[in-house]
Amino acid sequence: MIYDRVKFFRRRQFVLGPEYIDYEGWKKLKVIDNCLLTVHPDLKTTVAEQQESKAILLGYFIDPYQPELNDEDILKRFVGTSESLNDICTGLETLTGRFVLIVKSRANLWMFHDPCALRQVNYCFDKDGAMWCASQPETLAEQLGFKYDEEMVSYRNMLAFRSGREEFWIINDRTPYREIKYLLPNHYLDLQNGTVHRYWPGTGCIGSLSVEESINLCRPILQNSIEAASKRFDLKMGISAGCDSRRSLAAAKDVNSKIYFFTHTPTAFKEVDMEIPALLLPKLGIKHHKIELGEMDNEFRKYYESSVAWAREKHGRIAYSALKHFGTEATVLNSNISEISQVYYWLPKSRINGEGLAVATGLNHPLAINEFDKWLEGAKPVCEGAKMNILVLFDLELRSRWIAAAISEYDIAYETFNPYNNRRLLQLELSVNERFRKGRRLDFHIKQIRNMWPEVLMEPINPKKGIQGKIKGFILDSIIHKVFTPWLPIIEYLRYLKLKRKFKQELNG
């Protein structure tokens, strides 16, 4: 395969700073004096202006309440009438998409991104105090001469990552460079004074809804987001045996004929991820496609590793195989962040601190403990005011960096669309009592699926193999997690003790 050097060099990325970057073929756009954008040609850029206001969109919006609107239509909302931060934050609340939004309103200049920061922003200051932003920290480090942070190198090399027990991810707002920070979800940058501010969740934003009320309010957000994406993009959808992709499949009922459904060849012990879609999709009248994961060739690897800081081998193989199968212009529907509302993490209330979060995530490194403590300082009072479980916000803001990094790694091959990347959707799901959506209990999401397209449940979700596995699964899912766990988290507590014991052994060893 021949790789065009303009297309594949840091594809779909941007740089913002006091001067343009001399990258071949990249677009150049003036925001204001001393604030200049250099943008890869495959990152869609939309501009709206009115009098003293200007809004610039990098990426795309989808409004599930008005799915017929395009990026230009939606972007116009952020100029002219939007004179306050509250107007902008309110306007972003209902939007799906993957984007960076820059808004100039009179003397103010702000930068926002999508709810889970799937379009990443990294930022720093040069020796003259000017602010720089970019999709990847590597770009800023090259421009400004920064070196790797030894503390981060030590973190990257810890046992959990070297052994393969955990897949590498970077924590809090850190990057591989001490001088460069990562803009977390729910925060915006004030580009005029170089400060970062949280704007969500707001006081009382998590309400109280029954399962049925939430399902009825969530359904049009998911369905309309996917319908709009199917009309705009050459849409592909990955599907496995799990609940996340099954929910996306159900929401795609009315437009499934416009979507190409596929599954990667599975890793060891994950054969069910190929077997279930291969059985289910033909029953629904949908063709199922299989993509063989292959090794990256040398030329692709060169572009891939120069695109993303500390790029991961697994995701490079996925991107390379997708590129060979789909060509260069596909958009893939990704469902990974849909489990945020399931309250994946559990800790005793007395252990919700830096060390407790490090235990829960298996990150046995002093840096993880310190960074989690820093994050908790600002997150705890916000969650109390919003009536939000802080472990959910942890999953959304910190753990989501794993999937945001993966999606950036896939940018070299395809654009990504995630219908769950919508703040209103998350609020509506979190308004349901945790007893119905906690941990491994899938009642809430299965009811959502049944409400949208019940036939997609003809095959089981993540079935266990063998008599012993099926019996164990029945006891856990139908008895313990359904009857006992919602009221008395015995399994969670035992798991926590096991993780804590392993954590202490590795930290001291």
Side-chain angles (χ1 to χ4, degrees), residues 378-397:
K380 277 184 175 179
V382 169
C383 286
E384 289 171 3
K387 298 181 180 179
M388 185 176 186
N389 185 333
I390 195 166
L391 297 178
V392 171
L393 191 65
F394 173 78
D395 204 2
L396 168 60
E397 291 192 350

Side-chain angles (χ1 to χ4, degrees), residues 60-71 74 92-99 115 217-237 247-256 258-259 331-335 337 416-426 428-429 452:
Y60 63 91
F61 289 137
I62 287 174
D63 184 343
Y65 296 100
Q66 294 180 281
E68 72 281 359
L69 298 183
N70 59 29
D71 293 325
I74 300 170
L92 289 173
E93 188 173 292
T94 58
L95 297 180
T96 311
R98 183 174 176 234
F99 58 83
L217 292 169
C218 290
R219 184 178 61 241
I221 297 176
L222 286 173
Q223 290 177 328
N224 292 345
S225 292
I226 293 175
E227 179 183 359
S230 72
K231 292 178 179 178
R232 286 202 205 180
F233 307 127
D234 177 16
L235 196 61
K236 323 292 184 181
M237 184 189 295
R247 194 151 61 123
S248 297
L249 174 60
K253 177 183 179 181
D254 294 337
V255 293
N256 72 81
K258 300 178 181 179
I259 301 173
T331 297
V332 172
L333 191 158
N334 179 290
S335 304
I337 61 174
T416 299
F417 162 70
N418 192 307
Y420 306 95
N421 196 22
N422 182 292
R423 201 168 273 115
R424 175 65 58 81
L425 177 71
L426 182 63
L428 293 172
E429 292 189 342
M452 294 185 288

Side-chain angles (χ1 to χ4, degrees), residues 396-421:
L396 168 60
E397 291 192 350
L398 270 62
R399 193 63 181 94
S400 67
R401 287 201 63 177
W402 175 88
I403 184 59
I407 287 174
S408 293
E409 288 163 325
Y410 301 151
D411 268 337
I412 191 172
Y414 55 79
E415 179 60 274
T416 299
F417 162 70
N418 192 307
Y420 306 95
N421 196 22

Side-chain angles (χ1 to χ4, degrees), residues 201-428:
T203 301
C205 77
I206 306 302
S208 178
L209 294 172
S210 69
V211 169
E212 289 72 23
E213 287 171 329
S214 177
I215 287 173
N216 288 331
L217 292 169
C218 290
R219 184 178 61 241
I221 297 176
L222 286 173
Q223 290 177 328
N224 292 345
S225 292
I226 293 175
E227 179 183 359
S230 72
K231 292 178 179 178
R232 286 202 205 180
F233 307 127
D234 177 16
L235 196 61
K236 323 292 184 181
M237 184 189 295
I239 185 162
S240 67
C243 186
D244 302 340
S245 61
R246 198 74 61 93
R247 194 151 61 123
S248 297
L249 174 60
K253 177 183 179 181
D254 294 337
V255 293
N256 72 81
S257 61
K258 300 178 181 179
I259 301 173
Y260 183 99
F261 293 88
F262 71 95
T263 306
H264 294 299
T265 48
T267 55
F269 308 112
K270 289 282 189 177
E271 292 82 3
V272 70
D273 280 337
M274 180 66 72
E275 294 167 358
I276 293 297
L279 290 171
L280 174 63
L281 291 182
K283 294 179 181 179
L284 301 172
I286 299 171
K287 186 173 182 180
H288 177 240
H289 300 85
K290 177 180 177 180
I291 296 182
E292 297 283 350
L293 290 184
E295 299 296 329
M296 292 181 276
D297 64 39
N298 292 335
E299 187 75 1
F300 181 88
R301 181 183 292 277
K302 178 185 72 173
Y303 283 110
Y304 175 67
E305 292 182 348
S306 69
S307 292
V308 182
W310 288 346
R312 296 168 293 185
E313 181 77 14
K314 170 185 172 182
H315 301 284
R317 292 181 63 210
I318 292 172
Y320 175 73
S321 303
L323 182 67
K324 288 183 66 178
H325 196 86
F326 298 145
T328 62
E329 307 306 318
T331 297
V332 172
L333 191 158
N334 179 290
S335 304
N336 282 94
I337 61 174
S338 75
E339 69 273 12
I340 287 175
S341 64
Q342 286 182 253
V343 199
Y344 178 80
Y345 292 104
W346 183 91
L347 285 170
K349 287 186 178 180
S350 63
R351 302 304 298 163
I352 298 179
N353 52 33
E355 183 175 299
L357 291 173
V359 169
T361 54
L363 302 182
N364 54 316
H365 195 283
L367 178 66
I369 297 172
N370 293 336
E371 290 299 324
F372 291 156
D373 273 327
K374 288 179 187 177
W375 177 80
L376 284 166
E377 287 180 17
K380 277 184 175 179
V382 169
C383 286
E384 289 171 3
K387 298 181 180 179
M388 185 176 186
N389 185 333
I390 195 166
L391 297 178
V392 171
L393 191 65
F394 173 78
D395 204 2
L396 168 60
E397 291 192 350
L398 270 62
R399 193 63 181 94
S400 67
R401 287 201 63 177
W402 175 88
I403 184 59
I407 287 174
S408 293
E409 288 163 325
Y410 301 151
D411 268 337
I412 191 172
Y414 55 79
E415 179 60 274
T416 299
F417 162 70
N418 192 307
Y420 306 95
N421 196 22
N422 182 292
R423 201 168 273 115
R424 175 65 58 81
L425 177 71
L426 182 63
Q427 287 177 251
L428 293 172

